Amino acid sequence: MTPASGVHAHHHHAETPGAGRRWKRHAQQTVRDAGLRAGGGRAAVIEVLSGEECVLTAQEVLDRVTRKGGPGGNLATVYRALDTLHALRLVTRLDAGDGTARYERAMPGGEHHHHVLFPGGEIRPFHDDDLEAAIHALAERLGVELTGHDIVLHAARPTTD
Amino acid sequence: MTPASGVHAHHHHAETPGAGRRWKRHAQQTVRDAGLRAGGGRAAVIEVLSGEECVLTAQEVLDRVTRKGGPGGNLATVYRALDTLHALRLVTRLDAGDGTARYERAMPGGEHHHHVLFPGGEIRPFHDDDLEAAIHALAERLGVELTGHDIVLHAARPTTD
DNA sequence: TTGTCTGCAAATTCTTTGCAACGTT
DNA sequence: AACGTTGCAAAGAATTTGCAGACAA
């Protein structure tokens, strides 16, 4: 049962201004360095992602690409672009548990955030240094070399806001 | 809750003996209490899950059910059973990021574990009280009423062990 | 030119559903 | 008898892939 429940991301989170532009440049550079070419489809996906702080599904990326006109107006192209960007660690994939992957830009330097899922599909990003510290301490305790970590909280609703 | 005791996590697989049997009884009881009947398919799924401490895909559950002979030898039945058990909060769903859902029994009382993913697909469960404490502190800081949380670590490989 | 990118359609994979027969209560 | 349960086949949804033509370097 997946009646296309909408998932809305909240911008609760003041993000560094220019982060999108910075990521866009970084992404273009990285793609070029990988020996790949500057086609319109992938460029459009990069453009869209640079303008979004939090997760989008492939379909949502396509919608936004389409809205802007131009090339990239194809789901296969979007998926291919997302795959490439993910392989280059330029985007992060989030599984919200509804069988649809969501993607968001990954800032260079490991700067990242996690997600709180609310009933109804709302997704809210958050970042917390104490949590990051706890994760790293944990990894050491477990004796594993961490390459990444995903944390998804499920909440009934904000107790305050 | 979850006093940050100095309990050392890092159990590879040290689970309380009898946990499987306990869960099985609990599951059967809960299903009965929900007004559902005791068919062979769901019973087989419960049987399989009770014998596994960590995640299985629907297909893996089916394989094990089939191996034991008897009813339940059908993927649709397995999915339906897993759905029901999940709705009753008797199983947990894990998205390892490969587009296939994995399920494991959920012990009553909130007792649970998280997962470390290694390259190659190996999944190792762990539990850590300090981490749990950190999560609860975090939720309070965020001002949300937590109903659950998923933590997935990605590791290159054990640094020691 | 050479090798990459795109779009379109077809194919895959995972999961859900319709329906008739069957089992439990 | 009433109603949940199961199996099989078909349907769906998300994601991937084969190909031929368009493009970038």
Side-chain angles (χ1 to χ4, degrees):
Chain A
M1 292 166 223
T2 313
S5 58
V7 176
H8 307 72
H10 235 201
H11 294 193
H12 226 280
H13 207 27
E15 97 164 322
T16 315
R21 243 157 313 157
R22 221 167 55 239
W23 177 81
K24 183 173 163 183
R25 260 199 305 280
H26 170 60
Q28 292 171 330
Q29 184 62 248
T30 305
V31 166
R32 202 177 315 132
D33 290 352
L36 303 177
R37 296 177 183 180
R42 190 160 47 217
V45 171
I46 290 179
E47 174 63 35
V48 164
L49 290 180
S50 77
E52 293 279 340
E53 187 191 352
C54 203
V55 290
L56 292 179
T57 64
Q59 182 61 58
E60 290 170 338
V61 171
L62 176 61
D63 292 345
R64 285 164 172 71
V65 166
T66 303
R67 218 172 292 151
K68 300 192 178 189
N74 181 282
L75 207 43
T77 297
V78 169
Y79 273 114
R80 278 192 278 235
L82 290 172
D83 272 5
T84 300
L85 297 176
H86 186 256
L88 294 173
R89 297 174 181 284
L90 290 168
V91 311
T92 296
R93 219 193 294 251
L94 169 71
D95 251 307
D98 65 346
T100 313
R102 279 155 227 277
Y103 304 81
E104 68 187 357
R105 36 176 237 242
M107 297 305 289
E111 184 190 327
H112 66 280
H113 62 234
H114 298 292
H115 303 87
V116 190
L117 270 49
F118 293 92
E122 190 194 327
I123 299 180
R124 182 165 130 193
F126 73 86
H127 176 82
D128 188 273
D129 285 324
D130 287 350
L131 177 62
E132 298 301 321
I135 289 288
H136 284 95
L138 165 66
E140 201 159 308
R141 221 174 299 143
L142 291 175
V144 299
E145 184 187 332
L146 222 53
T147 59
H149 58 278
D150 298 321
I151 297 179
V152 178
L153 305 184
H154 299 260
R157 60 181 156 151
T159 51
T160 62
D161 205 325
Chain B
M1 39 177 73
T2 328
S5 66
V7 175
H8 236 266
H10 190 225
H11 322 122
H12 240 225
H13 247 257
E15 105 163 312
T16 314
R21 243 157 314 158
R22 222 167 53 240
W23 177 81
K24 183 173 164 183
R25 261 198 304 281
H26 171 59
Q28 292 172 328
Q29 183 63 249
T30 304
V31 166
R32 201 177 314 133
D33 290 352
L36 303 177
R37 297 177 183 181
R42 188 162 47 218
V45 171
I46 290 179
E47 175 63 34
V48 165
L49 291 180
S50 77
E52 294 280 339
E53 187 188 352
C54 203
V55 291
L56 292 179
T57 64
Q59 182 61 57
E60 290 169 338
V61 171
L62 176 61
D63 293 344
R64 285 165 172 70
V65 166
T66 302
R67 217 172 292 150
K68 301 193 177 188
N74 181 283
L75 207 42
T77 297
V78 170
Y79 273 114
R80 280 193 275 235
L82 290 172
D83 272 5
T84 300
L85 297 176
H86 186 256
L88 294 173
R89 296 174 180 282
L90 289 168
V91 310
T92 297
R93 221 191 292 251
L94 169 71
D95 250 307
D98 65 345
T100 313
R102 277 155 228 276
Y103 305 81
E104 68 186 358
R105 36 178 236 242
M107 297 306 288
E111 185 189 326
H112 65 280
H113 62 235
H114 298 291
H115 303 88
V116 190
L117 270 47
F118 292 93
E122 191 194 325
I123 300 180
R124 182 166 128 193
F126 72 87
H127 176 81
D128 187 273
D129 285 323
D130 287 349
L131 177 61
E132 298 300 321
I135 290 288
H136 285 95
L138 165 66
E140 201 159 310
R141 219 174 298 142
L142 291 176
V144 299
E145 185 187 331
L146 222 54
T147 59
H149 58 278
D150 298 321
I151 298 178
V152 178
L153 305 183
H154 298 260
R157 64 196 150 110
T159 51
T160 62
D161 210 328

